Amino acid sequence: MAWQGLIEQYKEFLPVTDKTPKLSLLEGNTPLIKLENLSEELGIELFVKVEGANPTGSFKDRGMVFAVAKAKEEGSKAVICASTGNTSAAAAAYAARAGMKAIIVIPEGKVAAGKLAQAYMYGAEVIQIEGNFDNALEMVRSISETSPVTLVNSVNPYRIEGQKTASFEICDVLGEAPDILAIPVGNAGNITAYWKGFKEYNDKKQTGLPQIFGFEAEGAAAIVQGKPIDNPETIATAIRIGNPASWDSAVAARDESNGVIEAVSDDEMIHTYQLIARKEGIFAEPASCASIAGVIRSVKEGKIKSGSKVVAVLTGNGLKDPQTAMDVKVVPPHNIESNASALNAFIEEVLA
Ligand code: F0G
């Protein structure tokens, strides 16, 4: 049967009722692609879960479709969230689809252009603050306690429920859980969701459990440092978060799975960002690349053994952040005269 979206597909694993609206933009069912070149180089079997293939271009659609559907089911007319950009794009899209209002609070100047464009296009009310994501989250958490709006950040348990479905898809394609699941960590909702998903699927279908390898950005590595970071900074604006809301459950995922949570530098993320685009034809946003940057390092350090089956989550589409791509591009454009012989001379030079 044709794919019908997450809620319909996984209703036996989700708290769906007769009254849950049939909301969907056909999210989920994203590609699991083997990175042939990098696998060979690293001596492992490396797959990527391409979450940028979701309707709004990030994994947030999995959680948001369910959080918005449940908000609608409960009679809410508006959703609110803090965001570094992807959550707000997904909230805005699913609210539009559900006929609800979306109010989003974002750190001014720190949201990638594509994400901001989405929020505007989907018709969200965009509120910019001078503070960072952590400040924005604090604001919306307190407001949602008194105001008739539903909070759809990942502290909303329905977000985690929706997002856990990515683990199901991985197990279905591979036939079992991988040895290692590598994932970027920001507010720590997604690492929480994947671990929950792997455990539930294993309980039902004996698919086994992976070790969870989470990677924060070095300038925003609160869990790694064991303390909140007041002024988190990283080129990967999606994970520029200094006080992750799901800190404890991220640590539980790490410890229960015998995994690690480590930091990767901006340089490592940008190197990986360029590498997978140029060597594998996959364009993922910088924060996404924390997962593979972490895998590359872990292989070098012997924490990932040769022959391991590894799935790295690529959380968002590279098109979300065109500016970073333009800033770090490896091959500059060539200006030539507008005639065929100039082009011919260029081709001869390139192929020489
Ligand atoms: N990768 C991308 C592309 C993200 O947008 C985020 C989070 C993460 C990774 C980290 O996921 O927070 O569950 O640990 N973005 C949020 C947002 C914070 O507002 O879009 P997490």
Side-chain angles (χ1 to χ4, degrees), residues 4-346:
Q4 296 178 74
L6 278 191
I7 298 180
E8 185 57 31
Q9 197 74 24
Y10 292 116
K11 57 188 173 212
E12 61 176 307
F13 292 93
L14 298 170
V16 174
T17 73
D18 296 347
K19 299 200 177 65
T20 310
K22 293 205 178 317
L23 184 65
S24 184
L25 288 165
L26 301 189
E27 59 294 316
N29 196 23
T30 56
L32 188 73
I33 300 177
K34 184 164 182 197
L35 299 189
E36 300 285 357
N37 297 316
L38 211 48
S39 288
E40 199 174 310
E41 238 170 72
L42 297 172
I44 60 174
E45 266 191 279
L46 179 58
F47 297 83
V48 285
K49 182 71 170 155
V50 185
E51 289 293 278
N54 275 299
T56 79
S58 87
F59 72 96
K60 304 288 182 176
D61 293 341
R62 293 182 185 275
M64 203 56 75
V65 67
F66 200 49
V68 173
K70 293 304 273 188
K72 179 113 181 151
E73 178 177 345
E74 287 156 13
S76 176
K77 298 202 162 40
V79 297
I80 193 167
C81 64
S83 184
T84 57
N86 282 325
T87 297
S88 54
Y94 284 94
R97 185 89 173 164
M100 299 171 71
K101 259 201 173 328
I103 301 164
I104 68 175
V105 184
I106 58 172
E108 185 171 13
K110 295 291 183 181
V111 172
K115 304 175 188 179
L116 202 51
Q118 288 179 292
Y120 289 134
M121 281 302 294
Y122 295 130
E125 304 288 346
V126 178
I127 298 169
Q128 311 201 53
I129 61 164
E130 269 179 37
N132 58 32
F133 171 85
D134 304 288
N135 307 130
L137 183 59
E138 216 176 287
M139 284 167 63
V140 297
R141 283 181 92 156
S142 78
I143 277 295
S144 67
E145 281 165 21
T146 52
S147 168
V149 290
T150 304
L151 182 64
V152 292
N153 279 106
S154 57
V155 291
N156 178 325
Y158 298 128
R159 281 278 312 278
I160 304 297
E161 290 299 310
Q163 284 172 214
K164 75 184 181 187
T165 59
S167 301
F168 304 167
E169 292 175 14
I170 290 169
C171 292
D172 282 345
V173 171
L174 296 179
E176 60 183 354
D179 299 315
I180 289 163
L181 187 282
I183 186 166
V185 175
N187 208 27
N190 213 26
I191 188 173
T192 301
Y194 269 81
W195 182 235
K196 186 170 200 283
F198 282 119
K199 283 192 295 187
E200 288 182 11
Y201 225 49
N202 185 46
D203 286 347
K204 266 241 164 91
K205 306 195 178 212
Q206 290 75 53
T207 38
L209 295 171
Q211 287 177 280
I212 304 285
F213 278 40
F215 296 99
E216 295 185 294
E218 200 170 77
I223 298 173
V224 173
Q225 292 192 22
K227 60 174 190 335
I229 313 283
D230 286 339
N231 293 303
E233 234 10 293
T234 166
I235 194 168
T237 52
I239 53 173
R240 185 176 169 270
I241 294 172
N243 191 11
S246 299
W247 187 317
D248 293 346
S249 50
V251 168
R254 176 194 69 191
D255 295 347
E256 288 171 31
S257 76
N258 194 22
V260 302
I261 295 180
E262 293 182 350
V264 290
S265 68
D266 281 6
D267 283 351
E268 286 176 286
M269 279 187 278
I270 292 300
H271 170 75
T272 310
Y273 174 65
Q274 295 166 321
L275 183 76
I276 62 170
R278 289 165 60 88
K279 291 226 166 160
E280 306 283 357
I282 293 173
F283 187 23
E285 70 170 286
S288 295
C289 298
S291 60
I292 299 183
V295 167
I296 293 172
R297 174 130 54 79
S298 301
V299 168
K300 280 189 191 140
E301 290 175 350
K303 289 178 187 158
I304 296 180
K305 298 214 166 25
S306 83
S308 297
K309 193 179 286 183
V310 180
V311 172
V313 184
L314 292 180
T315 44
N317 196 304
L319 292 170
K320 292 269 194 176
D321 185 0
Q323 193 57 51
T324 300
M326 298 305 275
D327 290 346
V328 307
K329 64 183 176 296
V330 180
V331 184
H334 307 276
N335 294 315
I336 63 165
E337 281 174 36
S338 61
N339 60 62
S341 68
L343 182 56
N344 199 44
F346 176 81

